[in-house]
Amino acid sequence: MISVEDAQRLVLEQATALPAERVELVDSLGLVLAEAVASDIDSPPWEKSIVDGYAVRSVDLATGEAELEILEEVMAGAVPTLEVGPGQATRIMTGAPTPAGCDAVVMVEQTEVLPAVSPGTLGRVRIHAAKLEAGRNILRRAAAMKCGDPVLAPGAIIRPAEIGLLAEVGKRHVLAQLRARVAVLATGDEIVSCEQKPGPGQIRNSNGPMLCGLVRRAGGTAHDLGIAADTTESLDAHVRRGLEADVLVLSGGVSAGVLDLVPGVLAANGVEQVFHKVNVKPGKPIWFGVLNREDRRRLVFGLPGNPVSSLVCFELFVRSALRQLAGERDVLPRPRWARLTRSHTIRGPRDTYHPAVLEESEAGWTVEPVAWRGSADLRALSAANSLVLFPGGDRTFEPGARLATILL
Ligand code: AMP
Ligand code: MG
């Protein structure tokens, strides 16, 4: 049986980034940029005031005190018309261009307006305790970027800050990698949809909605295909629809039971197995394969039916694949190391990912496994915020043991 690391490598070898597409800037959040973007403007586009106050000549404030004639008022969006001369100041708002002749701006808090003596003038301003060096409170033209400067490279993940930057340089549309379209299919004769009260022998479909949530959180678009019965016909019909997506994620039907028909139906649809079974607990029966069609390759994950196993397998194998398809790099879950809070015994050769609570305290990061009643116990999983990895082998881990965890 292959290890988690080998399985992750085999999956990522098949997950080639999807093509790029032009999208509206407002819809690009979370996507990976697929073009180099240069600025088409200087930013700021002029020498600009970064405070509300008075544009002055710093030599006039050699003593820190002065009384200056107010020349004019420049609001944001307006431009100054007069040059500031000796003994003069221009009232200016944050973001407005500074007038010629000035070399600093005094904050309004350090000033006091004197009543205008002659009608039609703006009066005078008294400045207190404001010794200013030249350049104070003025942002130089192009201080942040010059026209033509490269501002973003392909591969950048578009966060809100990047959206703002792209808007600033005039990009109404951007070329970005497509998100993976993921079809989610639950399988099992016993599975009923969640609005139904389960009859004898039935259980509700928790995996379908959960996997759709996992897909969205991983940046993919989820299409819920509902529930297939454990018959070749039903599975075949659903699988055909699922293979229209970039990725098909199934749950159930991949173990060694009589009605575990999923691998056979996938094979009949041309999906080639890459691996079946990984040395991990929970999640051992996981199946992974690919369908190479003319246009592009489809990835197919058969996850074990037990909900906790499904979630663990998604986090270990599917999530990184979806991110790589969407053009991200360095996609594997990054472990956070933490100290175990109490002793914990595990048996068997498989690496175990146990739901746990990860917390930061003064002593650093600690991790406490939650009480867990097996692979169907979603309630325990909901009390957890992470998975802690206990390496395989019969042994007891003592409090303080340093273990890898993955955030959920
Ligand atoms: P299987 O892998 O099909 O043998 O299923 C293993 C266990 O997971 C069985 O107890 C199933 O009833 C349960 N299971 C399978 N699919 C789902 C699902 N969609 N939601 C909740 N439990 C499921
Ligand atoms: Mg089943």
Side-chain angles (χ1 to χ4, degrees):
M1 218 182 323
I2 63 172
S3 65
V4 169
E5 292 71 32
D6 284 344
Q8 286 173 328
R9 185 177 44 76
L10 289 168
V11 169
L12 293 185
E13 274 173 17
Q14 302 292 334
T16 317
L18 295 167
E21 195 178 64
R22 203 152 281 286
V23 296
E24 292 257 355
L25 180 59
V26 287
D27 296 328
S28 68
L29 183 66
L31 299 182
V32 173
L33 188 68
E35 61 177 329
V37 176
S39 178
D40 70 340
I41 49 161
D42 286 342
S43 176
W46 49 69
E47 315 277 295
K48 91 174 179 190
S49 175
I50 59 170
V51 296
D52 292 326
Y54 289 86
V56 298
R57 294 152 40 96
S58 57
V59 289
D60 283 350
L61 296 180
T63 64
E65 304 290 325
E67 211 182 284
L68 305 171
E69 175 201 350
I70 304 172
L71 269 183
E72 62 173 339
E73 211 169 39
V74 185
M75 301 298 182
V79 288
T81 58
L82 302 170
E83 177 170 348
V84 175
Q88 295 179 324
T90 289
R91 189 180 294 154
I92 191 167
M93 305 302 147
T94 304
T98 53
C102 82
D103 65 357
V105 178
V106 186
M107 287 167 68
V108 73
E109 290 82 351
Q110 293 171 306
T111 66
E112 178 193 345
V113 180
L114 305 174
V117 271
S118 36
T121 67
L122 291 170
R124 299 175 71 77
V125 60
R126 180 175 295 149
I127 292 169
H128 305 291
K131 265 194 175 173
L132 294 187
E133 70 286 7
R136 176 66 81 80
N137 294 330
I138 294 178
L139 196 58
R140 295 281 155 217
R141 175 177 183 156
M145 59 193 173
K146 282 210 257 317
C147 182
D149 273 356
V151 291
L152 287 171
I157 296 176
I158 305 176
R159 304 169 303 166
E162 282 71 30
I163 294 185
L165 178 57
L166 287 160
E168 188 185 1
V169 301
K171 300 287 288 185
R172 172 72 198 284
H173 297 92
V174 286
L175 192 63
Q177 302 285 155
L178 288 175
R179 302 171 188 282
R181 290 171 306 144
V182 185
V184 171
L185 177 61
T187 75
D189 283 339
E190 78 282 28
I191 309 299
V192 295
S193 76
C194 64
E195 68 268 21
Q196 287 184 45
K197 191 86 178 168
Q202 296 184 324
I203 59 166
R204 289 195 176 115
N205 177 17
S206 31
N207 287 346
M210 178 180 76
L211 288 165
C212 289
L214 286 162
V215 166
R216 288 198 195 103
R217 192 169 68 172
T221 331
H223 301 273
D224 192 349
L225 298 183
I227 303 161
D230 287 323
T231 63
T232 306
E233 297 69 39
S234 175
L235 278 170
D236 189 68
H238 285 87
V239 160
R240 277 170 197 274
R241 282 181 57 209
L243 289 173
E244 284 162 22
D246 303 308
V247 179
L248 169 58
V249 176
L250 303 104
S251 83
V254 289
S255 307
V258 183
L259 286 181
D260 288 332
L261 307 173
V262 166
V265 170
L266 291 172
N269 277 281
V271 184
E272 295 163 44
Q273 176 181 316
V274 176
F275 60 76
H276 189 189
K277 294 195 171 72
V278 173
N279 194 18
V280 63
K281 188 176 170 182
K284 176 174 127 186
I286 183 178
W287 191 100
F288 172 66
V290 294
L291 173 65
N292 288 307
R293 281 210 180 139
E294 329 64 52
D295 53 344
R296 58 175 93 142
R297 179 183 297 149
R298 270 76 168 156
L299 307 186
V300 182
F301 295 88
L303 308 184
N306 268 310
V308 179
S309 315
S310 262
L311 182 134
V312 169
C313 284
F314 187 99
E315 291 295 295
L316 291 179
F317 307 110
V318 187
R319 183 165 190 270
S320 42
L322 299 190
R323 293 177 59 200
Q324 190 163 293
L325 288 173
E328 285 189 55
R329 290 168 212 155
D330 195 14
V331 291
L332 285 173
R334 274 235 184 88
R336 186 192 292 270
W337 293 86
R339 302 267 174 204
L340 191 61
T341 53
R342 55 180 162 79
S343 83
H344 187 90
T345 301
I346 69 150
R347 305 201 187 289
R350 286 187 278 153
D351 287 356
T352 301
Y353 287 83
H354 193 110
V357 176
L358 182 67
E359 256 174 357
E360 192 178 21
S361 71
E362 280 187 359
W365 287 92
T366 61
V367 64
E368 172 141 342
V370 299
W372 178 32
R373 280 156 212 88
S375 307
D377 189 357
L378 277 177
R379 199 170 162 210
L381 197 57
S382 173
N385 63 359
S386 58
L387 298 169
V388 57
L389 167 58
F390 293 108
D394 292 339
R395 54 182 158 146
T396 296
F397 293 86
E398 299 301 342
R402 204 165 161 266
L403 295 169
T405 68
I406 329 179
L407 273 180
L408 288 179

